[in-house]
Amino acid sequence: MTPGPNNLMTLQESRQHGFRGSMPFLNGLFVSFFILDFLAFFFTDFLKSISATAVLLMKILGSLYLIYLIMNLFRTKSDARGKQKIVSSNRQFWAGMLLNLTNVKVILYFLIGYISFLIPLFQNNRLLIIIFGIVMCSITAVCNLLWAGAGSLFQRLFLRHERVLNIILAVLLLYATVEMWQ
């Protein structure tokens, strides 16, 4: 529920395209949650000892992508109804997936979930581990839906204060980028 990169961009997508229009982006996030969950589940031992170089590469890629998203906040303008130019749903899907796959916060969420909680509690019951892994994915999807609902619900308010909102979103995304390096 915290305003990390996924939630902030979900808010922005739904603000720009409405709740239904943000669905391709949300679907990209959702699919990548399951990809990350799958990887965390099956490669937990390897991922616990992941090299510093791989972590550094993920941080660099994630930071570059967040900076790209910040720049895009100021490149597009909404029309009077708050809708921006039409973006293909395929592009939105892949943008959501790329954002999530480079989001260190989400990767750590799954790793910590498996390493600290699920595997120690249910080490002899792989089915329960898988079920709770799916629950973790579902929780993240619900949080993104809530942020999308907020973006859609407050769309008119956001339109009136678009420049200020974009500045706030840019600062928060920049903060998320800096926090990734802490």
Side-chain angles (χ1 to χ4, degrees):
M1 287 302 293
T2 60
N6 290 359
N7 291 334
L8 293 173
M9 289 310 300
T10 297
L11 179 78
Q12 178 71 0
E13 284 291 315
S14 66
R15 183 187 73 79
Q16 291 175 350
H17 307 290
F19 188 78
R20 287 188 186 178
S22 67
M23 279 301 143
F25 182 81
L26 290 167
N27 289 338
L29 289 176
F30 186 68
V31 168
S32 57
F33 282 133
F34 278 95
I35 291 169
L36 290 172
D37 183 56
F38 173 82
L39 292 173
F41 174 72
F42 285 105
F43 300 108
T44 301
D45 290 331
F46 169 74
L47 292 173
K48 278 193 285 189
S49 62
I50 194 164
S51 72
T53 306
V55 171
L56 178 64
L57 179 63
M58 289 299 292
K59 285 183 177 184
I60 290 169
L61 289 173
S63 296
L64 289 173
Y65 190 62
L66 288 175
I67 291 168
Y68 166 78
L69 292 174
I70 291 168
M71 292 183 333
N72 276 340
L73 283 173
F74 299 102
R75 286 194 180 139
T76 55
K77 291 283 184 194
S78 299
D79 67 16
R81 293 179 313 275
K83 299 293 181 187
Q84 291 192 343
K85 63 181 180 175
I86 302 299
V87 177
S88 78
S89 60
N90 193 31
R91 183 172 166 213
Q92 283 180 289
F93 176 85
W94 289 107
M97 184 171 278
L98 179 62
L99 174 64
N100 211 23
L101 291 175
T102 59
N103 188 344
V104 176
K105 179 181 169 186
V106 173
I107 294 167
L108 290 175
Y109 166 73
F110 283 114
L111 286 177
I112 290 169
Y114 279 104
I115 294 168
S116 299
F117 300 105
L118 298 181
I119 291 174
L121 286 173
F122 306 109
Q123 59 189 344
N124 297 327
N125 194 337
R126 285 203 174 281
L127 180 61
L128 275 178
I129 294 172
I130 291 170
I131 289 170
F132 281 108
I134 292 169
V135 169
M136 286 175 27
C137 288
S138 300
I139 290 169
T140 56
V142 167
C143 292
N144 288 139
L145 285 171
L146 290 172
W147 278 86
S152 182
L153 182 66
F154 298 114
Q155 186 176 27
R156 287 188 184 134
L157 175 69
F158 291 158
L159 180 60
R160 276 186 264 148
H161 306 285
E162 182 174 20
R163 185 144 181 87
V164 172
L165 178 68
N166 283 348
I167 290 169
I168 292 169
L169 286 172
V171 168
L172 288 171
L173 285 170
L174 188 59
Y175 175 75
T177 305
V178 170
E179 278 297 307
M180 193 182 329
W181 292 94
Q182 300 300 319

